[in-house]
Amino acid sequence: MTNVVGLTCVICGKTYPADFAGYVCPDHGNEGILDVRYDYDKIGETFTKESLAADPDRTMWRYRPLLPIAPDAAVPPLTVGGTPMYDAAPLAAELGLAKVWVKDEGREPTASLKDRASAMAVVKAQERGAEVVTTASTGNAAAALSGISASVGQRNVIFVPASAPEAKIAQLLAYGSTVALVNGTYGDAFDLCMEASAEYGWYNRNTGYNPFMTEGKKTAGLEILEDLGWEAPDAIFVSVGDGSIIGGVHKAMKDALALGWIDRMPRIFGIQSAGSDYMVQAFENGEDVLTKPPISADTVADSISADLPRDRIKAMAAVTETGGIYLRVSDEEILAAIPTLARGSGVFAEPAGAAPYAGLVTAVERGLVGADDQVVLLATGSGLKDVASALKAVAAIGTTPMRIDPTLDSLRAALNN
Ligand SMILES: *Cc1c(COP(=O)(O)O)cnc(C)c1O
Ligand SMILES: [Zn+2]
């Protein structure tokens, strides 16, 4: 028995039973994403800040009563969650903010936050006895599903655009997934994966379709709050592609508020690349994300490149319901954020992981955050995922190594002393 009381359609509000076997609201098709609802009164009877503090399990499964899995469900052996959050004093000083915290999701087993969702997907797939689990992905969700599946011997089929960064493709192949490199965009890969999973009966992990992915991702938000002693920060900056991570962070805050573990909602800031700014456009123009057509996305930050953010309803609510804002930053600003974040916090992030820092710079310039504010940046993926972009970023700011012979004289000449 889980603590789930039902699954509610984000469009019509109709609620389906906890054991509902579908993925989306039948009345609303693929747009009818379901939100998992819990019995907070029951949860709060035994699951408390104190019981958590006494729990030695540092993984995402420490929040199990708030997850859609049974108390005795087997979970994959890889250590997912429990990532560090650093007090980046140099960045706070540079920007004139009270605190800047950087949560390093590059420390997950496959080096991105997606492990939290994919671990959940594998538990649910095995609960249903699925022979095969599948996903489409820009790369990280795929690598995560691939790695976590490997850890339990779960067969899986992965659809990624052929343009995905090499490191991510290397992970898929090393983990032994069946890999389809699709000649097309992430959107094309997504549509094909949806068709294939219906055709073959594979368990579908797709983002903004499978309702449990947000629940896995929210554990990052719960960790942020727990690390801060259940004092909500003033603002949380999250990069947005499909909008599932930002929806998950919002869900964590709502869970903690419902349990009375925090007493206010932090503002949630959604950051997108100017080349993939569907949510920013919708936010600025007050457009309805249900009817707004796809855009044509193109950005160096491959993990947040989305023509049509699949989880856009939850993603919009995360910002509008918390007094946050959607901000766009240029690819140049995203690249520049990689070395700045690395130098100011020690966290080396891929472009999408550094984008929240670029967003924070913009927010400071526009006076949206200020001297009293404590800000959390969610660094969603490791810089090792996309070394080509990191090299481009350092070249752009003129950082070059010394090229020297293996002698002290040569070193001295290069150092000029
Ligand atoms: C997937 C991903 C994102 C964006 O998450 P969405 O849920 O698609 O908005 C951001 N950063 C990294 C590193 C990712 O892998
Ligand atoms: Zn519906």
Side-chain angles (χ1 to χ4, degrees):
M1 266 295 283
T2 70
N3 293 317
V4 175
V5 291
L7 304 167
T8 302
C9 173
V10 294
I11 297 176
C12 67
K14 189 163 167 191
T15 296
Y16 298 88
D19 61 358
F20 179 63
Y23 296 94
V24 289
C25 172
D27 294 346
H28 289 96
N30 291 354
E31 314 305 321
I33 296 172
L34 299 173
D35 182 40
V36 183
R37 295 291 164 98
Y38 298 89
D39 183 345
Y40 294 109
D41 288 339
K42 180 172 156 227
I43 292 170
E45 281 169 15
T46 52
F47 189 53
T48 62
K49 291 193 242 185
E50 293 69 31
S51 72
L52 258 178
D55 184 353
D57 179 4
R58 304 314 302 178
T59 71
M60 66 181 273
W61 309 112
R62 68 193 270 98
Y63 304 107
R64 191 187 283 250
L66 281 170
L67 296 173
I69 65 169
D72 57 351
V75 297
L78 294 183
T79 303
V80 181
T83 57
M85 187 163 79
Y86 302 112
D87 178 353
L91 295 179
E94 164 85 21
L95 295 169
L97 297 169
K99 283 275 185 208
V100 174
W101 299 95
V102 180
K103 184 158 177 70
D104 184 11
E105 286 293 310
R107 293 278 296 273
E108 297 287 2
T110 79
S112 87
L113 187 146
K114 297 297 197 302
D115 284 334
R116 297 177 188 268
S118 289
M120 180 63 68
V122 168
V123 173
K124 297 306 284 186
Q126 301 213 316
E127 185 184 285
R128 292 183 192 189
E131 268 175 44
V132 173
V133 55
T134 190
T135 197
S137 163
T138 58
N140 284 338
L145 186 63
S146 181
I148 306 232
S149 290
S151 78
V152 296
Q154 169 71 52
R155 279 177 57 208
N156 62 100
V157 180
I158 304 287
F159 297 82
V160 288
S163 60
E166 232 177 11
K168 299 179 183 180
I169 295 173
Q171 285 182 291
L172 303 175
L173 298 171
Y175 287 130
S177 297
T178 301
V179 181
L181 294 183
V182 179
N183 295 320
T185 63
Y186 166 54
D188 297 327
F190 188 98
D191 293 342
L192 177 58
C193 177
M194 294 290 286
E195 274 182 62
S197 91
E199 173 77 16
Y200 296 104
W202 298 337
Y203 187 75
N204 192 324
R205 178 234 176 269
N206 275 334
T207 301
Y209 180 69
N210 186 315
F212 304 117
M213 301 304 90
T214 314
E215 302 303 307
K217 288 170 179 170
K218 81 180 178 189
T219 58
L222 292 169
E223 285 177 14
I224 289 171
L225 295 176
E226 194 174 8
D227 276 357
L228 296 177
W230 303 105
E231 291 285 337
D234 295 292
I236 304 179
F237 281 65
V238 185
S239 59
V240 176
D242 274 326
S244 173
I245 293 179
I246 198 170
V249 167
H250 186 209
K251 184 67 174 285
M253 304 301 134
K254 289 193 286 189
D255 283 356
L257 268 176
L259 287 164
W261 293 0
I262 54 173
D263 52 19
R264 65 181 176 126
M265 178 63 87
R267 283 187 291 159
I268 300 179
F269 286 65
I271 311 303
Q272 292 201 294
S273 164
S276 179
D277 63 349
Y278 182 103
M279 296 304 302
V280 190
Q281 289 181 19
F283 181 83
E284 288 180 345
N285 306 330
E287 290 170 282
D288 179 355
V289 294
L290 259 183
T291 51
K292 180 177 169 58
I295 60 167
S296 184
D298 180 22
T299 167
V300 68
D302 62 292
S303 299
I304 50 171
S305 184
D307 295 344
L308 183 67
R310 299 284 163 178
D311 227 346
R312 55 199 180 281
I313 297 177
K314 288 183 187 171
M316 187 55 84
V319 165
T320 57
E321 291 178 10
T322 66
I325 189 169
Y326 268 102
L327 292 172
R328 70 167 67 71
V329 291
S330 68
D331 276 3
E332 291 69 32
E333 290 167 321
I334 290 174
L335 286 179
I338 295 174
T340 310
L341 185 66
R343 291 165 195 201
S345 71
V347 174
F348 178 37
E350 67 165 270
Y357 181 79
L360 179 58
V361 172
T362 302
V364 169
E365 282 166 7
R366 290 175 51 179
L368 300 170
V369 288
D372 297 331
D373 286 327
Q374 306 215 10
V375 173
V376 174
L377 302 175
L378 194 54
T380 41
S382 166
L384 296 176
K385 290 274 195 173
D386 185 358
V387 171
S389 289
L391 287 172
K392 214 193 274 178
V394 290
I397 57 168
T399 301
T400 49
M402 299 181 289
R403 303 241 174 237
I404 61 171
D405 294 326
T407 67
L408 210 45
D409 279 347
S410 180
L411 176 64
R412 219 176 262 127
L415 290 172
N416 273 324
N417 68 32

